[in-house]
Amino acid sequence: MKMGFLSGIIAGALVGSAITMVMDPVSDRDRRRLHRGTRNVVKKVGYIFDMMK
């Protein structure tokens, strides 16, 4: 039951994201901003993991 619910949530998010991308594509400027923000988050998570060792 729990796994079915979780997979349903994930599937819904993926389908919703795909529909959103088709209906409203991301501009190059927004894509670069998103990439920069994602890169900073990954760096911070890596730093936290390094500090935990």
Side-chain angles (χ1 to χ4, degrees):
M1 175 78 178
K2 188 175 184 181
M3 195 60 152
F5 177 74
L6 184 61
S7 59
I9 295 289
I10 292 170
L14 291 175
V15 170
S17 298
I19 291 172
T20 302
M21 290 298 290
V22 169
M23 299 302 281
D24 186 25
V26 178
S27 68
D28 288 335
R29 180 179 174 195
D30 291 338
R31 187 177 297 120
R32 280 182 295 207
R33 186 181 306 145
L34 180 64
H35 178 69
R36 191 177 326 128
T38 304
R39 184 177 54 208
N40 289 338
V41 169
V42 171
K43 280 183 182 179
K44 288 177 184 177
V45 169
Y47 177 73
I48 290 170
F49 280 136
D50 286 342
M51 294 299 292
M52 290 173 62
K53 287 184 179 181

